[in-house]
């Protein structure tokens, strides 16, 4: 689809151990490495991704707090009219370690929408396969 809505995966690199106050979740310890965040914007996907790339902004979502400490951000949109955010998070959970309970999942039944990898997921075939499965649906 080409519409300006859907889900996205943010890849964020945290260069060193950090303790970060994450809104109502509290003060959390984050190990160095790469973090994968599954989010959505059924309208205004491009604007949401642009917001996540910025460091300076009003802190609203859990990911905003972590974003401030990260040195690299890669945004991977998944354009769709479907609500795929939780499905994407579930698929990521099969490849990577789950982040703090409740992170990014305050409005759904998921355990978390944040995951951690030791190295860049873009260097792994399994991650590319996951992304491709959501970006290019098989014909029905």
């Amino acid at each position: 689809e080409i519409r300006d809505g859907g889900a996205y995966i943010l890849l964020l690199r945290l260069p060193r151990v950090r303790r970060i106050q994450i809104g109502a979740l509290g003060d959390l310890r984050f190990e160095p490495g790469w973090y994968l965040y599954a989010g959505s914007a059924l309208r205004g996907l491009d604007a949401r991704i642009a917001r996540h790339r910025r460091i300076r902004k009003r802190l609203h979502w859990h990911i905003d707090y972590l974003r401030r400490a990260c040195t690299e951000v890669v945004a991977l949109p998944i354009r769709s009219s479907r609500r795929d955010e939780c499905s994407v998070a579930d698929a990521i959970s099969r490849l990577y370690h789950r982040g703090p309970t409740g992170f990014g999942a305050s409005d759904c039944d998921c355990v978390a929408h944040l995951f951690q990898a030791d190295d860049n997921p873009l260097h792994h075939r399994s991650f590319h396969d996951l992304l491709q499965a959501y970006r290019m649906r098989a014909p029905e």
Side-chain angles (χ1 to χ4, degrees), residues 26-41:
D27 186 42
L28 302 175
R29 178 185 166 100
F30 291 87
E31 295 296 323
W34 286 84
Y35 287 84
L36 299 89
Y37 174 76
S40 68

Side-chain angles (χ1 to χ4, degrees), residues 37-111:
Y37 174 76
S40 68
L42 292 183
R43 290 190 313 236
L45 182 62
D46 292 336
R48 176 71 54 86
I49 287 172
R51 183 185 189 284
H52 284 314
R53 285 187 174 133
R54 291 193 318 266
I55 293 175
R56 293 185 180 170
K57 60 187 156 239
R58 182 171 120 348
L59 302 178
H60 179 70
W61 291 291
H62 294 151
I63 195 65
D64 293 340
Y65 297 87
L66 177 59
R67 167 61 185 105
R68 290 189 309 178
C70 294
T71 57
E72 295 177 52
V73 176
V74 177
L76 304 166
I78 301 168
R79 298 187 187 284
S80 175
S81 57
R82 292 182 257 209
R83 290 191 170 272
D84 285 334
E85 173 183 5
C86 294
S87 175
V88 169
D90 183 57
I92 294 171
S93 76
R94 294 187 197 120
L95 299 176
Y96 300 102
H97 305 291
R98 183 176 49 81
T101 299
F103 194 108
S106 56
D107 61 349
C108 67
D109 294 330
C110 297
V111 176

Side-chain angles (χ1 to χ4, degrees), residues 10-30:
L10 290 181
L11 303 178
L12 305 106
R13 189 174 79 80
L14 187 65
R16 62 182 176 85
V17 173
R18 294 287 304 265
R19 290 201 73 79
I20 304 170
Q21 179 71 30
I22 306 290
L25 292 179
D27 186 42
L28 302 175
R29 178 185 166 100
F30 291 87

